[in-house]
Amino acid sequence: MAKTEELSFGYLLNDVTLLFRKHFDRRAVKYGLTRAQWRATKMLYHREGMRQNELAEALEMEPIAVGRVIDRLQAAGFVERRPDPRDRRAWRLYVTAQAHDVVDDMEQVARELRRESTTGIEYDELKRALDVIERIKANLQALDAAEAPMVHGE
């Protein structure tokens, strides 16, 4: 009987991710945003006023990497930092009018790429595949959680 561990899928997932990123970045470059910048902008658009560490957690990125993304977004005029009224040491993140102007266009870029990349795939097929990928992700996150005390307690 065939076993799931005999099916190699890591390289395929990586290839799909790289190709999707490449095509998204090519299409989005006219808006002045990379895929990482777009993810942060979209998150802030829907949840304005987040702190940088909250954004990093929501995006599942390291806080330092998110800080660099926010620095670039701020320099480009898409995001602004405002003082946290409850904590003088902290900043809250907000999108600017310029970001509001490109959100719909960027959403259209993402929708179009998803449509093109799923040509010939039925909704139910994709939904099942995504459910399985979510379970794989959860399994890997559980491994991280199980290994975390060993890494810090060495």
Side-chain angles (χ1 to χ4, degrees):
M1 172 177 247
K3 297 179 182 179
T4 56
E5 65 264 19
E6 293 174 359
L7 294 173
S8 179
F9 58 87
Y11 290 120
L12 178 60
L13 290 175
N14 186 60
D15 289 349
V16 169
T17 300
L18 290 174
L19 286 165
F20 200 89
R21 286 177 179 175
K22 176 180 81 170
H23 287 281
F24 185 88
D25 286 346
R26 278 186 188 162
R27 295 170 190 214
V29 72
K30 64 184 169 186
Y31 302 104
L33 294 169
T34 66
R35 185 192 45 80
Q37 292 168 339
W38 165 238
R39 284 183 68 216
T41 302
K42 182 179 175 182
M43 180 68 68
L44 291 173
Y45 178 81
H46 293 289
R47 294 174 57 190
E48 281 195 308
M50 296 178 84
R51 287 183 173 188
Q52 188 171 306
N53 63 331
E54 294 168 335
L55 179 61
E57 187 176 316
L59 296 175
E60 298 180 8
M61 292 176 65
E62 292 297 322
I64 292 173
V66 170
R68 287 191 291 266
V69 169
I70 296 302
D71 288 345
R72 286 189 215 103
L73 286 170
Q74 187 175 17
F78 289 103
V79 170
E80 64 183 18
R81 289 177 168 104
R82 297 182 195 161
D84 187 326
R86 287 176 265 187
D87 184 348
R88 293 183 308 152
R89 301 165 297 166
W91 297 92
R92 297 281 178 177
L93 303 170
Y94 296 85
V95 293
T96 63
Q98 181 179 337
H100 279 268
D101 291 343
V102 299
V103 166
D104 287 340
D105 292 335
M106 293 292 287
E107 286 283 5
Q108 183 59 36
V109 167
R111 254 190 315 278
E112 191 175 301
L113 183 55
R114 286 192 304 264
R115 182 182 52 77
E116 291 173 9
S117 66
T118 57
T119 298
I121 300 169
E122 297 296 324
Y123 176 88
D124 290 339
E125 287 179 285
L126 182 58
K127 182 72 176 105
R128 280 193 309 275
L130 293 175
D131 289 344
V132 169
I133 292 169
E134 282 288 341
R135 287 168 45 203
I136 291 170
K137 178 181 176 181
N139 290 341
L140 292 169
Q141 287 173 326
L143 289 175
D144 282 346
E147 292 174 0
M150 291 187 317
V151 171
H152 297 295
E154 292 180 337

